[in-house]
Amino acid sequence: MDDRHTAQVTIMLGSNTGDRKANLDNAVKALSGHVDRIAVTRDIDNPDFTGRGPDYLNRLLTGTTTLPLHSLKALLKETETVLGRDRATPRLVAIDIDIVVYDDEIVKPSEYTSPPCQALLAAKKIGADDWGLGKNR
C-alpha cells in the first residue's frame, strides 16, 4: 500500500534565450519523471518585466506528484541547472521553473499574480483546446 500524499501542482516555465520553445519542451520532458498526469498550456510571449532582458516565452504545466514541496523545489532548481540556467547571467534565462500552486497553496504569489501566469490560467479555463498538445507527455 502506498501512503504517499499525491499533490496537484501548477508550475510556470519560462525562457528568454536560445531556442525558447525547445527549452520549455526539455523542461517538460525532464519533469515527466517526477510529475504525473502532465498537461501544458499553449505558450505565450511576454516582455521581461524588469525591462533589462529579452522577451520570455512562458507555459504552465499542471500535474500530480508524490514529492513533498521542499523536494520538488530542490528538483526544479537542479533541473534548471542541468538544462543550462546560469545564475551568473540573470538577464539571459535558458529556463526558469517555478512552483506556482502546490495542492491549494499559492507557493509563489508574485508568479501567480503575474500577467503571463494569469493569462495562461485564464486560457486553461476556456477549454481543452487551449491546453495544447501536452497531455500525459
Side-chain angles (χ1 to χ4, degrees):
M1 180 169 144
D2 190 353
D3 291 335
R4 294 182 296 177
H5 172 72
T6 299
Q8 295 283 338
V9 294
T10 301
I11 298 171
M12 181 75 141
L13 308 172
S15 177
N16 76 348
T17 190
D19 185 339
R20 300 176 309 156
K21 183 178 181 328
N23 292 342
L24 299 182
D25 290 342
N26 290 336
V28 171
K29 185 183 293 183
L31 294 177
S32 68
H34 306 279
V35 178
D36 297 318
R37 298 178 46 182
I38 289 178
V40 298
T41 61
R42 61 184 166 81
D43 299 340
I44 62 166
D45 262 305
N46 60 282
D48 175 9
F49 295 120
T50 68
R52 298 181 311 220
D55 289 351
Y56 275 83
L57 189 66
N58 289 105
R59 178 186 301 171
L60 281 182
L61 174 150
T62 64
T64 60
T65 186
T66 56
L67 292 174
L69 180 58
H70 69 279
S71 298
L72 183 58
K73 284 181 179 180
L75 172 73
L76 299 187
K77 292 300 175 204
E78 178 184 329
T79 301
E80 287 176 340
T81 300
V82 167
L83 294 179
R85 175 133 189 204
D86 179 1
R87 296 189 192 285
T89 57
R91 293 180 185 165
L92 299 175
V93 180
I95 191 69
D96 184 31
I97 309 171
D98 293 308
I99 304 166
V100 179
V101 179
Y102 184 91
D103 274 343
D104 292 328
E105 177 188 351
I106 297 172
V107 176
K108 195 162 187 184
S110 62
E111 196 73 42
Y112 182 79
T113 59
S114 71
C117 186
Q118 288 300 302
L120 288 168
L121 286 168
K124 177 185 164 208
K125 292 177 184 174
I126 291 169
D129 291 344
D130 287 330
W131 265 123
L133 304 174
K135 288 201 175 212
N136 297 317
R137 317 201 231 191

